[in-house]
Amino acid sequence: MDKTEDILETINKAKNGNQIAFSRLLDTFWNDVYGFQLKRTENENDAEDITIQTFSKAFDKIHTYNDSYVFKTWLITISKNIHIDLVRKRKRNLFDARHGGDEIKKVLDDAPSMEDQLIKEQNLANLLQDIKKLKPHYQEVINLRYFNELSYAEIANSLNEPVNNIKVKLLRAKKLLSEIIRNKR
């Protein structure tokens, strides 16, 4: 089996929800997406954030992937769009800040995401019930990060997984948790 067939088989496994396949795709293509974004942004933090968001979005939408396209190209396209959105948001926020929007003077990265805000709004008892609705591997990263207050590196060490996997898993867990909370309203 050649590398292309191997990647397509891994993608099909990921489409069926296989977590090992997701990890394999992340490990295989992380450096390509990160390197691409590092050249574009010339900022390690932005490149890493965009790469994490790229894999999260790609994994959420993996069922839409058309194998007549190269998977790496599909990922790079997603990352380009995320970068464009980020630049637009920053320009809009900069414009608002210059024209009297004091509340928007915070740096974009420091502002809590919509998911973070929804999670904070819930009382602890309800939040714990909602966390229990997640798959066990998502419960685990949420608990380690927010209740045990471990760093990404500490979680990666504890679970014996790469830090990048932990970041993507945590981002997906937060999205799923916010959907659970949003659907209760």
Side-chain angles (χ1 to χ4, degrees):
M1 187 182 318
D2 72 1
K3 187 174 173 140
T4 304
E5 288 176 9
D6 192 32
I7 294 296
L8 289 175
E9 185 179 317
T10 304
I11 292 166
N12 285 331
K13 287 179 181 175
K15 283 182 177 183
N16 291 321
N18 182 314
Q19 290 300 316
I20 294 168
F22 284 122
S23 294
R24 189 148 175 251
L25 291 171
L26 182 78
D27 292 341
T28 303
F29 294 102
W30 176 271
N31 289 339
D32 294 320
V33 177
Y34 177 76
F36 175 80
Q37 282 302 330
L38 191 56
K39 284 179 185 170
R40 274 179 77 108
T41 63
E42 298 177 349
N43 179 309
E44 289 180 8
N45 290 331
D46 283 348
E48 187 172 308
D49 287 345
I50 293 167
T51 303
I52 290 168
Q53 289 177 41
T54 298
F55 280 98
S56 179
K57 189 173 214 166
F59 292 166
D60 285 346
K61 305 286 185 192
I62 192 96
H63 60 280
T64 67
Y65 170 70
N66 179 343
D67 62 15
S68 62
Y69 300 99
V70 177
F71 190 70
K72 176 179 160 184
T73 305
W74 186 67
L75 288 172
I76 295 291
T77 303
I78 292 170
S79 80
K80 278 183 189 175
N81 291 334
I82 290 171
H83 180 237
I84 289 166
D85 289 346
L86 180 68
V87 169
R88 284 181 183 148
K89 278 182 191 171
R90 286 185 177 164
K91 282 183 180 175
R92 189 170 46 244
N93 288 344
L94 190 60
F95 176 82
D96 289 346
R98 286 186 179 157
H99 293 89
D102 290 338
E103 70 282 350
I104 305 178
K105 287 185 179 174
K106 283 186 114 184
V107 178
L108 185 63
D109 290 341
D110 290 342
S113 70
M114 210 164 71
E115 289 90 1
D116 290 334
Q117 196 58 43
L118 268 173
I119 290 168
K120 285 180 183 176
E121 287 175 8
Q122 295 296 308
N123 71 40
L124 189 57
N126 286 340
L127 183 60
L128 291 173
Q129 288 299 329
D130 293 337
I131 289 171
K132 287 179 182 174
K133 294 175 185 171
L134 295 172
K135 290 183 178 176
H137 58 275
Y138 290 137
Q139 288 180 35
E140 189 172 31
V141 292
I142 291 275
N143 285 326
L144 291 172
R145 180 72 175 157
Y146 295 105
F147 294 100
N148 296 341
E149 298 181 351
L150 298 183
S151 68
Y152 291 123
E154 291 169 328
I155 296 169
N157 192 28
S158 168
L159 299 178
N160 197 25
E161 288 188 40
V163 172
N164 296 332
N165 284 22
I166 298 301
K167 289 179 179 179
V168 171
K169 202 178 277 188
L170 194 57
L171 189 63
R172 290 183 75 207
K174 285 176 15 180
K175 281 185 177 182
L176 291 169
L177 185 57
S178 71
E179 284 174 24
I180 290 167
I181 293 168
R182 200 175 286 123
N183 289 336
K184 284 176 31 177
R185 291 183 170 187

